[in-house]
Amino acid sequence: MKKAIFSTIFEFSRVAILSLVLAVNASAFAQKKQATKAEERQGRVVLAINEGAAGSLTATDITFRYEQFKPVVENALGAAVVVVAVRSTKELRSALATGAYTLVMSRPADVLAEAIRDHGYQAVVAAKEPAYALFIVNKNSPLKTLADIKGKSIVTPDRHAYMWRIANAMLRDNSLSLEKEKVRNMGDQAAIGWSLEESFFDVGVVSSISGVGRNWEKKGGRVLARSREVPNTPIIASPKISAAQIQRLRATLVALESTESGAAVLKKIGVSGFKETSSQTFLDLLRWLGDLEAGKG
């Protein structure tokens, strides 16, 4: 009887110890797995893409468009990259304020300039092709200079959008103001071009890198005025990216056009090449634009 009781106790103890060991190992495994996931999250780079009103790609389109660009960035940084399409400028501003994006590539450079000024981001590169805001008119328009648009009907991108801000700064420098003129806003620059062609307005404002901007003069239209050169499709990096990583990324992107495979990547994302740029360029841009209630854009 005693032998049976002892055997039962021994077997119970053995099972209990084995269960405890398994539980400890399972806990350790789970903790290790969680730690690995945390390290993966910390090492992951979120690259946000905003093509602004000049672009008409969906989020899915952008993901496919940048599928070859993504590994270029990953190799330069030595980290996994997740591409996120951001259509809303307001959403982009909010995310930059919280540091949600590690890298940002955006046509509206004013939003990135604010992130450099206010949230510690750094400029990496910008497209080599310069960008401008264009005041466009039809071929037979009697308007000759910016001064002539006073009292005329004007169609521009959305209020406080990048091109709107540039146009407003141009008029301010010529003692005019969009606020005091007959202005209609449209979110799609293709619609601006069409409405001007149909003579619904006297003057339109578009980006030089939009489809309308690139082809307006080729189709017989005129450019009434061109802004000063502004950053085109720049890339900025959050404080999470080290100085060494920024330098490697900058060198990699600038060198892309020198190889056949790199040129193919650039062509797919619609950029002829990248050049090094400084954060000061963006701060100077903001000084020229003025605040103009930028946060409402």
Short mmCIF file of all heavy atoms in Angstrom, two decimals, residues 129-173:
data_model
loop_
_atom_site.label_atom_id
_atom_site.label_comp_id
_atom_site.label_asym_id
_atom_site.label_seq_id
_atom_site.Cartn_x
_atom_site.Cartn_y
_atom_site.Cartn_z
N GLU A 129 15.11 67.30 -61.71
CA GLU A 129 14.27 68.19 -62.52
C GLU A 129 13.65 69.26 -61.63
O GLU A 129 12.98 68.94 -60.65
CB GLU A 129 13.16 67.40 -63.20
CG GLU A 129 12.21 68.26 -64.02
CD GLU A 129 10.99 67.50 -64.51
OE1 GLU A 129 10.79 66.35 -64.09
OE2 GLU A 129 10.23 68.08 -65.30
N PRO A 130 13.83 70.52 -61.93
CA PRO A 130 13.23 71.58 -61.10
C PRO A 130 11.72 71.61 -61.25
O PRO A 130 11.17 71.16 -62.24
CB PRO A 130 13.87 72.86 -61.64
CG PRO A 130 14.22 72.53 -63.06
CD PRO A 130 14.61 71.09 -63.05
N ALA A 131 11.05 72.13 -60.23
CA ALA A 131 9.59 72.26 -60.27
C ALA A 131 9.22 73.74 -60.15
O ALA A 131 9.95 74.53 -59.54
CB ALA A 131 8.95 71.47 -59.14
N TYR A 132 8.09 74.10 -60.76
CA TYR A 132 7.60 75.48 -60.72
C TYR A 132 6.08 75.45 -60.63
O TYR A 132 5.44 74.49 -61.04
CB TYR A 132 8.00 76.23 -62.01
CG TYR A 132 9.45 76.18 -62.37
CD1 TYR A 132 9.93 75.15 -63.18
CD2 TYR A 132 10.34 77.14 -61.93
CE1 TYR A 132 11.27 75.08 -63.53
CE2 TYR A 132 11.70 77.09 -62.28
CZ TYR A 132 12.15 76.05 -63.07
OH TYR A 132 13.48 75.99 -63.42
N ALA A 133 5.53 76.54 -60.14
CA ALA A 133 4.09 76.77 -60.29
C ALA A 133 3.93 77.59 -61.55
O ALA A 133 4.69 78.54 -61.80
CB ALA A 133 3.53 77.51 -59.09
N LEU A 134 2.95 77.23 -62.36
CA LEU A 134 2.72 77.93 -63.63
C LEU A 134 1.36 78.62 -63.63
O LEU A 134 0.35 78.00 -63.27
CB LEU A 134 2.77 76.95 -64.80
CG LEU A 134 4.00 76.06 -64.94
CD1 LEU A 134 3.83 75.12 -66.13
CD2 LEU A 134 5.27 76.89 -65.09
N PHE A 135 1.34 79.88 -64.02
CA PHE A 135 0.08 80.56 -64.34
C PHE A 135 -0.11 80.36 -65.83
O PHE A 135 0.72 80.83 -66.63
CB PHE A 135 0.16 82.05 -64.00
CG PHE A 135 -0.08 82.36 -62.55
CD1 PHE A 135 0.94 82.21 -61.62
CD2 PHE A 135 -1.32 82.79 -62.11
CE1 PHE A 135 0.73 82.51 -60.28
CE2 PHE A 135 -1.54 83.09 -60.77
CZ PHE A 135 -0.52 82.93 -59.85
N ILE A 136 -1.17 79.66 -66.23
CA ILE A 136 -1.37 79.34 -67.64
C ILE A 136 -2.61 80.03 -68.19
O ILE A 136 -3.59 80.26 -67.48
CB ILE A 136 -1.46 77.82 -67.87
CG1 ILE A 136 -2.61 77.22 -67.05
CG2 ILE A 136 -0.13 77.15 -67.52
CD1 ILE A 136 -2.85 75.73 -67.31
N VAL A 137 -2.55 80.34 -69.49
CA VAL A 137 -3.69 80.95 -70.19
C VAL A 137 -3.79 80.31 -71.57
O VAL A 137 -2.86 79.66 -72.05
CB VAL A 137 -3.52 82.48 -70.35
CG1 VAL A 137 -3.52 83.17 -68.99
CG2 VAL A 137 -2.24 82.81 -71.13
N ASN A 138 -4.93 80.49 -72.21
CA ASN A 138 -5.10 79.99 -73.57
C ASN A 138 -4.28 80.83 -74.56
O ASN A 138 -3.89 81.97 -74.27
CB ASN A 138 -6.58 80.00 -73.96
CG ASN A 138 -7.33 78.86 -73.29
OD1 ASN A 138 -6.82 77.75 -73.18
ND2 ASN A 138 -8.54 79.14 -72.83
N LYS A 139 -4.05 80.27 -75.71
CA LYS A 139 -3.19 80.89 -76.72
C LYS A 139 -3.62 82.31 -77.07
O LYS A 139 -2.79 83.21 -77.19
CB LYS A 139 -3.19 80.02 -77.98
CG LYS A 139 -2.33 80.56 -79.11
CD LYS A 139 -2.37 79.64 -80.32
CE LYS A 139 -1.50 80.16 -81.45
NZ LYS A 139 -1.52 79.27 -82.63
N ASN A 140 -4.92 82.53 -77.20
CA ASN A 140 -5.41 83.84 -77.63
C ASN A 140 -5.76 84.78 -76.48
O ASN A 140 -6.38 85.83 -76.71
CB ASN A 140 -6.63 83.66 -78.53
CG ASN A 140 -6.29 82.89 -79.80
OD1 ASN A 140 -5.22 83.08 -80.37
ND2 ASN A 140 -7.20 82.01 -80.22
N SER A 141 -5.36 84.43 -75.27
CA SER A 141 -5.66 85.29 -74.12
C SER A 141 -4.97 86.65 -74.27
O SER A 141 -3.80 86.72 -74.67
CB SER A 141 -5.17 84.63 -72.83
OG SER A 141 -5.27 85.54 -71.75
N PRO A 142 -5.65 87.73 -73.93
CA PRO A 142 -5.04 89.06 -74.03
C PRO A 142 -4.09 89.35 -72.86
O PRO A 142 -3.36 90.33 -72.88
CB PRO A 142 -6.25 90.00 -74.00
CG PRO A 142 -7.28 89.25 -73.20
CD PRO A 142 -7.09 87.80 -73.55
N LEU A 143 -4.09 88.47 -71.84
CA LEU A 143 -3.25 88.70 -70.66
C LEU A 143 -1.78 88.50 -71.00
O LEU A 143 -1.41 87.54 -71.66
CB LEU A 143 -3.67 87.77 -69.53
CG LEU A 143 -5.17 87.78 -69.15
CD1 LEU A 143 -5.43 86.83 -68.00
CD2 LEU A 143 -5.62 89.19 -68.81
N LYS A 144 -0.94 89.41 -70.49
CA LYS A 144 0.49 89.35 -70.80
C LYS A 144 1.37 89.18 -69.56
O LYS A 144 2.45 88.59 -69.64
CB LYS A 144 0.92 90.64 -71.52
CG LYS A 144 0.16 90.90 -72.82
CD LYS A 144 0.38 89.80 -73.84
CE LYS A 144 -0.35 90.13 -75.17
NZ LYS A 144 -0.21 89.03 -76.16
N THR A 145 0.94 89.72 -68.43
CA THR A 145 1.75 89.65 -67.20
C THR A 145 0.84 89.31 -66.02
O THR A 145 -0.40 89.35 -66.12
CB THR A 145 2.44 90.99 -66.91
OG1 THR A 145 1.45 91.98 -66.56
CG2 THR A 145 3.25 91.46 -68.12
N LEU A 146 1.46 89.02 -64.87
CA LEU A 146 0.68 88.74 -63.67
C LEU A 146 -0.20 89.92 -63.28
O LEU A 146 -1.31 89.74 -62.78
CB LEU A 146 1.62 88.40 -62.49
CG LEU A 146 2.10 86.95 -62.38
CD1 LEU A 146 2.97 86.79 -61.14
CD2 LEU A 146 0.91 86.00 -62.32
N ALA A 147 0.29 91.13 -63.53
CA ALA A 147 -0.49 92.31 -63.18
C ALA A 147 -1.83 92.34 -63.92
O ALA A 147 -2.82 92.89 -63.42
CB ALA A 147 0.30 93.57 -63.48
N ASP A 148 -1.88 91.68 -65.08
CA ASP A 148 -3.10 91.70 -65.90
C ASP A 148 -4.21 90.80 -65.36
O ASP A 148 -5.35 90.89 -65.82
CB ASP A 148 -2.77 91.25 -67.33
CG ASP A 148 -1.83 92.21 -68.04
OD1 ASP A 148 -1.82 93.40 -67.68
OD2 ASP A 148 -1.09 91.75 -68.94
N ILE A 149 -3.89 89.93 -64.38
CA ILE A 149 -4.93 89.00 -63.91
C ILE A 149 -5.86 89.63 -62.89
O ILE A 149 -6.86 89.02 -62.50
CB ILE A 149 -4.33 87.70 -63.33
CG1 ILE A 149 -3.72 87.96 -61.95
CG2 ILE A 149 -3.32 87.09 -64.28
CD1 ILE A 149 -3.29 86.69 -61.26
N LYS A 150 -5.55 90.83 -62.45
CA LYS A 150 -6.42 91.50 -61.48
C LYS A 150 -7.83 91.62 -62.04
O LYS A 150 -8.04 92.13 -63.15
CB LYS A 150 -5.86 92.88 -61.14
CG LYS A 150 -6.62 93.60 -60.02
CD LYS A 150 -5.92 94.89 -59.65
CE LYS A 150 -6.66 95.60 -58.53
NZ LYS A 150 -6.71 94.79 -57.28
N GLY A 151 -8.79 91.12 -61.29
CA GLY A 151 -10.19 91.18 -61.70
C GLY A 151 -10.61 90.05 -62.62
O GLY A 151 -11.78 89.96 -62.98
N LYS A 152 -9.68 89.16 -63.00
CA LYS A 152 -10.00 88.05 -63.89
C LYS A 152 -10.38 86.80 -63.08
O LYS A 152 -10.10 86.71 -61.89
CB LYS A 152 -8.82 87.73 -64.81
CG LYS A 152 -8.33 88.92 -65.63
CD LYS A 152 -9.43 89.44 -66.54
CE LYS A 152 -8.92 90.61 -67.38
NZ LYS A 152 -9.98 91.18 -68.25
N SER A 153 -10.99 85.84 -63.74
CA SER A 153 -11.36 84.59 -63.07
C SER A 153 -10.17 83.64 -63.10
O SER A 153 -9.53 83.44 -64.13
CB SER A 153 -12.56 83.94 -63.76
OG SER A 153 -12.29 83.66 -65.11
N ILE A 154 -9.88 83.06 -61.93
CA ILE A 154 -8.70 82.21 -61.77
C ILE A 154 -9.11 80.87 -61.18
O ILE A 154 -9.91 80.82 -60.23
CB ILE A 154 -7.67 82.87 -60.82
CG1 ILE A 154 -7.36 84.31 -61.27
CG2 ILE A 154 -6.39 82.05 -60.75
CD1 ILE A 154 -6.58 85.12 -60.24
N VAL A 155 -8.55 79.77 -61.70
CA VAL A 155 -8.80 78.44 -61.14
C VAL A 155 -7.46 77.89 -60.63
O VAL A 155 -6.46 77.90 -61.35
CB VAL A 155 -9.45 77.49 -62.16
CG1 VAL A 155 -8.62 77.35 -63.42
CG2 VAL A 155 -9.70 76.12 -61.53
N THR A 156 -7.43 77.46 -59.38
CA THR A 156 -6.20 76.99 -58.75
C THR A 156 -6.44 75.65 -58.05
O THR A 156 -7.59 75.25 -57.84
CB THR A 156 -5.70 77.99 -57.68
OG1 THR A 156 -6.49 77.85 -56.49
CG2 THR A 156 -5.77 79.42 -58.18
N PRO A 157 -5.36 74.98 -57.64
CA PRO A 157 -5.54 73.81 -56.77
C PRO A 157 -6.19 74.23 -55.45
O PRO A 157 -6.40 75.42 -55.18
CB PRO A 157 -4.10 73.34 -56.54
CG PRO A 157 -3.36 73.80 -57.77
CD PRO A 157 -3.98 75.13 -58.08
N ASP A 158 -6.51 73.25 -54.62
CA ASP A 158 -7.22 73.53 -53.37
C ASP A 158 -6.53 74.59 -52.53
O ASP A 158 -5.30 74.72 -52.54
CB ASP A 158 -7.32 72.24 -52.53
CG ASP A 158 -8.28 71.24 -53.15
OD1 ASP A 158 -9.19 71.69 -53.90
OD2 ASP A 158 -8.13 70.04 -52.89
N ARG A 159 -7.33 75.33 -51.80
CA ARG A 159 -6.84 76.38 -50.90
C ARG A 159 -5.82 75.80 -49.93
O ARG A 159 -6.04 74.77 -49.30
CB ARG A 159 -8.02 76.97 -50.15
CG ARG A 159 -7.66 78.07 -49.16
CD ARG A 159 -8.93 78.57 -48.50
NE ARG A 159 -8.65 79.42 -47.35
CZ ARG A 159 -8.35 80.72 -47.45
NH1 ARG A 159 -8.33 81.29 -48.63
NH2 ARG A 159 -8.10 81.44 -46.36
N HIS A 160 -4.66 76.44 -49.84
CA HIS A 160 -3.54 76.04 -48.98
C HIS A 160 -2.77 74.83 -49.49
O HIS A 160 -1.88 74.34 -48.82
CB HIS A 160 -3.99 75.81 -47.53
CG HIS A 160 -4.52 77.05 -46.87
ND1 HIS A 160 -3.79 78.22 -46.78
CD2 HIS A 160 -5.70 77.30 -46.28
CE1 HIS A 160 -4.51 79.13 -46.16
NE2 HIS A 160 -5.67 78.61 -45.86
N ALA A 161 -3.14 74.32 -50.68
CA ALA A 161 -2.32 73.28 -51.31
C ALA A 161 -0.99 73.91 -51.73
O ALA A 161 -0.84 75.13 -51.79
CB ALA A 161 -3.04 72.70 -52.52
N TYR A 162 0.00 73.06 -52.00
CA TYR A 162 1.36 73.54 -52.32
C TYR A 162 1.36 74.56 -53.45
O TYR A 162 1.92 75.67 -53.32
CB TYR A 162 2.22 72.33 -52.68
CG TYR A 162 3.68 72.60 -52.86
CD1 TYR A 162 4.37 73.56 -52.11
CD2 TYR A 162 4.42 71.85 -53.79
CE1 TYR A 162 5.73 73.78 -52.28
CE2 TYR A 162 5.78 72.05 -53.95
CZ TYR A 162 6.42 73.02 -53.20
OH TYR A 162 7.78 73.22 -53.36
N MET A 163 0.74 74.24 -54.59
CA MET A 163 0.73 75.16 -55.73
C MET A 163 -0.06 76.42 -55.43
O MET A 163 0.27 77.51 -55.91
CB MET A 163 0.18 74.46 -56.98
CG MET A 163 1.12 73.43 -57.58
SD MET A 163 2.68 74.16 -58.15
CE MET A 163 3.88 73.25 -57.14
N TRP A 164 -1.11 76.29 -54.63
CA TRP A 164 -1.88 77.46 -54.22
C TRP A 164 -1.01 78.41 -53.41
O TRP A 164 -1.01 79.62 -53.62
CB TRP A 164 -3.09 77.03 -53.40
CG TRP A 164 -4.02 78.15 -53.02
CD1 TRP A 164 -5.16 78.54 -53.66
CD2 TRP A 164 -3.89 79.04 -51.88
NE1 TRP A 164 -5.75 79.60 -53.02
CE2 TRP A 164 -4.99 79.93 -51.92
CE3 TRP A 164 -2.97 79.17 -50.85
CZ2 TRP A 164 -5.19 80.93 -50.96
CZ3 TRP A 164 -3.15 80.18 -49.90
CH2 TRP A 164 -4.25 81.03 -49.97
N ARG A 165 -0.22 77.85 -52.50
CA ARG A 165 0.64 78.68 -51.65
C ARG A 165 1.71 79.39 -52.48
O ARG A 165 2.02 80.57 -52.25
CB ARG A 165 1.30 77.82 -50.57
CG ARG A 165 0.33 77.23 -49.57
CD ARG A 165 1.05 76.45 -48.49
NE ARG A 165 1.82 77.32 -47.61
CZ ARG A 165 2.62 76.87 -46.64
NH1 ARG A 165 2.77 75.56 -46.47
NH2 ARG A 165 3.27 77.70 -45.86
N ILE A 166 2.27 78.66 -53.45
CA ILE A 166 3.28 79.28 -54.31
C ILE A 166 2.67 80.40 -55.15
O ILE A 166 3.24 81.49 -55.28
CB ILE A 166 3.92 78.21 -55.23
CG1 ILE A 166 4.68 77.18 -54.39
CG2 ILE A 166 4.87 78.88 -56.23
CD1 ILE A 166 5.19 76.00 -55.19
N ALA A 167 1.49 80.12 -55.71
CA ALA A 167 0.80 81.14 -56.51
C ALA A 167 0.50 82.37 -55.67
O ALA A 167 0.66 83.52 -56.13
CB ALA A 167 -0.49 80.56 -57.09
N ASN A 168 0.07 82.16 -54.45
CA ASN A 168 -0.25 83.28 -53.57
C ASN A 168 1.00 84.10 -53.25
O ASN A 168 0.96 85.34 -53.21
CB ASN A 168 -0.88 82.78 -52.27
CG ASN A 168 -1.54 83.89 -51.50
OD1 ASN A 168 -2.64 84.34 -51.82
ND2 ASN A 168 -0.86 84.35 -50.46
N ALA A 169 2.14 83.42 -53.05
CA ALA A 169 3.40 84.12 -52.78
C ALA A 169 3.83 84.93 -54.00
O ALA A 169 4.32 86.06 -53.87
CB ALA A 169 4.48 83.12 -52.40
N MET A 170 3.62 84.37 -55.20
CA MET A 170 3.95 85.10 -56.42
C MET A 170 3.12 86.37 -56.56
O MET A 170 3.64 87.45 -56.89
CB MET A 170 3.73 84.20 -57.64
CG MET A 170 4.68 83.03 -57.74
SD MET A 170 4.21 81.90 -59.09
CE MET A 170 4.53 82.92 -60.53
N LEU A 171 1.81 86.24 -56.29
CA LEU A 171 0.96 87.43 -56.40
C LEU A 171 1.29 88.44 -55.31
O LEU A 171 1.28 89.65 -55.55
CB LEU A 171 -0.52 87.00 -56.30
CG LEU A 171 -1.05 86.18 -57.48
CD1 LEU A 171 -2.56 86.00 -57.34
CD2 LEU A 171 -0.72 86.86 -58.81
N ARG A 172 1.59 87.93 -54.11
CA ARG A 172 1.99 88.84 -53.03
C ARG A 172 3.20 89.67 -53.42
O ARG A 172 3.26 90.88 -53.15
CB ARG A 172 2.29 88.00 -51.78
CG ARG A 172 2.73 88.81 -50.55
CD ARG A 172 3.51 87.93 -49.60
NE ARG A 172 4.73 87.45 -50.20
CZ ARG A 172 5.26 86.24 -49.97
NH1 ARG A 172 4.66 85.37 -49.17
NH2 ARG A 172 6.39 85.89 -50.57
N ASP A 173 4.16 89.01 -54.08
CA ASP A 173 5.37 89.73 -54.52
C ASP A 173 5.05 90.74 -55.61
O ASP A 173 5.88 91.61 -55.92
CB ASP A 173 6.41 88.73 -55.03
CG ASP A 173 6.98 87.86 -53.93
OD1 ASP A 173 6.75 88.17 -52.74
OD2 ASP A 173 7.65 86.86 -54.25
#
